[in-house]
Each structure stands twice: as structure tokens, then as C-alpha cells.
Amino acid sequence: MTLPAMADICETRTFEGTRYSLCTVTTDRQDGLRLWLNGPDGKAVGDFNGVRGTLAPGEVLGFAMNAGMYHPDYAPVGLFRSDSEEAGHIVTAGGDGNFGLLPNGVFCVGARAPFQVIESRRFARAQPQCRLATQSGPLLVIDGELHPRFLPHSDSRYIRNGVGVSRDMQTAWFAISDAPVTFHQFARFFRDELGARNALYFDGSISRLYAPGLRRADWGRRMGPIIGYVGGP
């Protein structure tokens, strides 16, 4: 699969006057989704160049973005699970910062449905066998409703990114705002523009996107968990 074959995976959308970059993965492409944390040397992959360095000959990175909050040593704050690596553990208690703004949740690939956003306490009870799982928070959309702590007139604005899942759980939308937005605005983009039944916040001030189809390769400080889509032979 060459880059032109994946040119349709990312696009831009405008919602309420703000532009968003949006990458869509449907169930027929779910096997191409990957999560990265550490490389073969045990050190954090850290950035998009590091991710590209893990790819096999012929593989192409269609898009990538940061995928959850992390500690200063880049270890995930909550649960992280990929095909070959598991780190952290599910955190169900509230706490400081956005991660602890309950309810938070887990983005899960390849369990009961192709894509799910599952509230963390429910995830801890059910223990779904996700191929990929990354915990973050807060939940943006919860069964079609916005997180109850979001304020329509908040003055807290950041570049924000996250993931939403369609009602039939066959589509996952990965979005980043191209300008600073509030939580309330960002959540409405998932619910009202995309029709997401559930959506999860990944992060704010460090949010970055690699999307060659949009001629975009954001740079900045090193990151912890990264999610992306890989096509190849």
C-alpha cells in the first residue's frame, strides 16, 4: 500500500468556525492501527520519526498522533496495551488534572467490537481482551451526552486531540483542533459534527499530528503513547 492509496484517510473539517484535522479508520482497516510506546531498546519511541523508524520495509505511516497522558519518564498514566507490549494499569480513582476528571475511559481496538470507548470502571470490571488499549481522560462524549463537568463558556482553550467511535462501533475518528478550543467545543465536534456516541480526550497542550496526506508533520517535545495507522505489503 503506497501513500496515495491512503490519501483518503485524513481530511479537514470546519465546525462552528474552527478547523479540525480528522483521520478516519473503518473496520476494514482496523488491523493497520498500532500503538507505540517503547522501541526495541526499551526507550520511548518519543516522536513521529521514532515511529517511522520501527516500520518494516514497504510499510507506510498514514497518520499518527499522541494517544494518552504520560509521566515525565514517558510511562503512561493509565493502561497501555499493544500487540507486543503492556504497560501501566487501569486507574479508576479520580485525581488531579484532566486524566482524573472522572469519568475517564479507554480506547479499545479488537475486542467485542472493532472500536470502543469504554468508561474506566466498566473496563476494569469487564476486562475486555483488546488488541490495543490506551487509557486517558476525561471522556468527551458519554452515550451521546457531553461530560457533565464541561462548561459552555469556559476560557480554558488549547489545541486538543482525541478519538471518537461511531454508534455501530465500526468507525473510529481521530481528531485534533487546528486552533485552541474548549473541552465543550471539542466534545461537540465529536457528537454534533461526527455523530460519535462515545469519545475520549487524549491531551491538550502537547497534541500533535503526523498526516502526510495533509502535508502535516507537527514537531515538539517528546511524547509517551502514540497511535497511528500503518499500511504495507
Side-chain angles (χ1 to χ4, degrees):
M1 184 180 294
T2 62
L3 183 57
M6 291 191 289
D8 63 335
I9 202 166
C10 296
E11 61 180 304
T12 58
R13 294 273 192 101
T14 299
F15 176 69
E16 296 181 344
T18 298
R19 194 172 75 166
Y20 295 80
S21 294
L22 175 69
C23 300
T24 301
V25 179
T26 49
T27 184
D28 58 309
R29 284 177 159 174
Q30 67 165 307
D31 290 346
L33 268 182
R34 295 187 192 174
L35 271 169
W36 295 270
L37 183 61
N38 296 317
D41 60 0
K43 297 180 180 179
V45 170
D47 56 28
F48 301 135
N49 281 336
V51 167
R52 292 173 67 193
T54 69
L55 303 183
E59 291 185 331
V60 178
L61 185 61
F63 83 89
M65 64 168 50
N66 53 296
M69 300 173 190
Y70 51 90
H71 296 291
D73 64 354
Y74 308 111
V77 173
L79 176 69
F80 173 95
R81 180 187 301 159
S82 72
D83 298 273
S84 59
E85 183 178 11
E86 184 159 345
H89 59 276
I90 192 74
V91 177
T92 58
D96 295 332
N98 292 327
F99 184 95
L101 187 61
L102 300 182
N104 57 17
V106 178
F107 175 60
C108 167
V109 177
R112 180 176 65 86
F115 310 109
Q116 297 177 79
V117 168
I118 306 170
E119 190 272 328
S120 294
R121 290 167 294 186
R122 186 160 65 88
F123 186 97
R125 293 192 298 269
Q127 292 293 314
Q129 297 303 302
C130 312
R131 178 177 70 84
L132 307 177
T134 183
Q135 185 183 12
S136 193
L139 288 172
L140 296 167
V141 184
I142 310 158
D143 294 332
E145 300 294 331
L146 303 190
H147 193 289
R149 297 284 297 277
F150 293 169
L151 302 175
H153 303 295
S154 171
D155 59 3
S156 175
R157 296 176 178 271
Y158 289 95
I159 301 291
R160 303 183 189 273
N161 76 303
V163 61
V165 173
S166 61
R167 183 180 293 270
D168 64 4
M169 297 182 284
Q170 303 295 305
T171 302
W173 294 291
F174 301 86
I176 182 170
S177 64
D178 291 357
V181 293
T182 66
F183 269 126
H184 203 277
Q185 286 175 286
F186 193 46
R188 290 202 312 273
F189 173 74
F190 278 103
R191 184 189 67 176
D192 300 341
E193 174 68 12
L194 301 177
R197 177 73 174 171
N198 292 283
L200 178 66
Y201 183 62
F202 279 154
D203 215 326
S205 58
I206 63 97
S207 297
R208 298 204 298 281
L209 174 68
Y210 174 88
L214 300 179
R215 299 188 178 184
R216 182 165 175 173
D218 301 347
W219 61 275
R221 60 190 181 188
R222 289 173 64 79
M223 300 175 286
I226 299 172
I227 197 165
Y229 179 82
V230 175

